[in-house]
């Protein structure tokens, strides 16, 4: 039986463009509503410590206006935990965060950071928030996520998307192997980072992957074809890859 694959649309970079000039345009919340209409199964937003894109006010408005679930990406800090517990989004994805990085570089070191992460995973889960950990596709990270009691992992697809030729094949194998391990461990498997029309198919075809979170490419592509069309095309490439895999 083929498991349904959800598309989470990350709207951070609508806020990046807004913030380049201040003011309110383009509004990431309006983009989220458009994404819902275009078929997004969820909206993802990363409230960073430095608020470089999504703001606290965006999270307030997303929580009050979305019909689909919000997946809040957050660092494991007291400040972010307070915000998550106040809003109680459907899901929270714990990500590593370095102030100077351009985007989330690499996954969370769940294996090396168990003592730090454990109270965050517990507090979020106790509040009824579905917790996921954004990790590299490595067995030791998956086993750490399992020990921490996180029900979901999101596998970082950045190295696969950035690579070409044989290296991309190698990186894809790491993801495929990790997806299999999630099945063994009973973890729900998501994936994301850097996915494009060209790279989404093989990942979407991996049985057991339940959700893809995609942002930067879709927002960039929206400049050329519109957000509605970019999301619909991504959705259809995902569905096509999934149906070919099950045929
Ligand atoms: N998943 C996680 C955990 C992320 O941190 C990001 C980037 O914010 C994404 C998915 C989406 O990555 P991209 O914007 O490259 O599609």
């Amino acid at each position: 039986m083929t498991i349904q694959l959800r598309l989470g649309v990350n709207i951070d970079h609508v806020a990046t463009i807004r913030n380049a000039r201040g003011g309110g345009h383009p509004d990431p919340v309006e983009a989220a509503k458009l994404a819902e209409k275009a078929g997004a199964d969820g909206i993802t937003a990363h409230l960073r410590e430095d608020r470089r894109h999504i703001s606290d006010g965006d999270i307030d408005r997303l929580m009050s206006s979305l019909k689909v679930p919000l997946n809040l990406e957050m660092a494991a800090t007291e400040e972010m935990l307070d915000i998550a517990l106040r809003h109680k989004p459907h899901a929270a994805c714990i990500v590593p965060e370095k102030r100077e990085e351009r985007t989330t570089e690499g996954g969370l070191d769940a294996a090396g950071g168990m003592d730090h992460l454990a109270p965050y995973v517990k507090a979020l889960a106790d509040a009824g928030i579905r917790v996921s950990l954004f990790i590299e596709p490595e067995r030791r990270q998956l086993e750490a996520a399992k020990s921490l009691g996180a029900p979901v992992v999101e596998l970082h697809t950045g190295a696969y998307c950035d690579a070409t030729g044989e290296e991309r094949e190698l990186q894809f194998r790491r993801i495929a192997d990790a997806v299999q391990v999630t099945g063994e461990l009973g973890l729900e498997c998501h994936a994301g980072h850097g996915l494009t029309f060209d790279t989404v198919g093989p990942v979407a075809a991996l049985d057991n992957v339940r959700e893809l979170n995609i942002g930067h490419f879709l927002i960039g592509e929206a400049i050329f074809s519109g957000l509605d069309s970019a999301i619909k095309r991504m959705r259809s490439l995902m569905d096509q890859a999934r149906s070919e895999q099950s045929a």
Side-chain angles (χ1 to χ4, degrees):
M1 193 191 71
T2 310
I3 306 170
Q4 197 233 339
L5 180 61
R6 297 188 297 266
L7 170 61
V9 172
N10 181 316
I11 42 111
D12 291 350
H13 295 299
V14 179
T16 304
I17 299 171
R18 174 194 62 191
N19 297 358
R21 286 289 169 97
H25 183 77
D27 180 6
V29 180
E30 285 308 310
K33 290 186 198 159
L34 224 157
E36 269 181 354
K37 280 205 198 111
D41 301 293
I43 297 297
T44 294
H46 184 178
L47 185 66
R48 294 187 76 105
E49 184 198 6
D50 62 8
R51 309 300 198 270
R52 72 175 69 159
H53 36 57
I54 294 296
S55 68
D56 297 71
D58 294 333
I59 299 294
D60 294 343
R61 291 189 302 126
L62 285 168
M63 282 303 297
S64 61
S65 51
L66 283 183
K67 294 195 191 78
V68 295
L70 176 67
N71 173 33
L72 175 69
E73 289 180 2
M74 54 174 271
T77 63
E78 283 299 320
E79 183 200 15
M80 289 302 149
L81 180 62
D82 285 349
I83 293 170
L85 294 180
R86 185 151 29 87
H87 285 294
K88 294 203 176 52
H90 167 77
C93 179
I94 304 183
V95 300
E97 204 175 289
K98 292 191 223 95
R99 193 176 266 272
E100 66 280 12
E101 72 192 352
R102 268 207 236 160
T103 181
T104 313
E105 289 164 0
L108 191 70
D109 184 9
M114 303 250 300
D115 290 348
H116 175 71
L117 291 169
Y120 289 93
V121 173
K122 183 172 183 325
L124 291 165
D126 285 351
I129 299 168
R130 188 198 69 187
V131 187
S132 74
L133 302 183
F134 185 46
I135 56 173
E136 290 297 319
E138 292 168 8
R139 179 179 275 274
R140 70 190 191 99
Q141 298 296 351
L142 293 162
E143 285 172 349
K146 177 75 185 175
S147 307
L148 281 162
V152 181
V153 288
E154 180 165 330
L155 302 178
H156 198 308
T157 51
Y160 154 72
C161 292
D162 289 345
T164 53
E166 254 181 56
E167 178 59 22
R168 181 175 282 177
E169 281 298 308
L170 262 169
Q171 293 295 339
F172 178 69
R173 277 276 33 108
R174 288 177 72 216
I175 295 171
D177 291 347
V179 171
Q180 195 160 348
V181 178
T182 63
E184 287 166 26
L185 296 176
L187 292 164
E188 179 170 323
C189 184
H190 301 178
H193 207 280
L195 291 168
T196 66
F197 292 154
D198 289 337
T199 53
V200 76
V203 181
L206 293 170
D207 215 8
N208 254 350
V209 175
R210 300 283 301 272
E211 180 174 308
L212 298 180
N213 284 301
I214 309 179
H216 183 268
F217 177 81
L218 287 173
I219 305 308
E221 189 61 20
I223 293 169
F224 303 108
S225 65
L227 190 55
D228 180 80
S229 154
I231 291 172
K232 284 183 174 150
R233 172 120 198 264
M234 189 62 84
R235 177 81 257 173
S236 113
L237 290 168
M238 285 163 55
D239 292 343
Q240 191 187 327
R242 205 70 166 185
S243 64
E244 282 168 6
Q245 163 261 355
S246 65

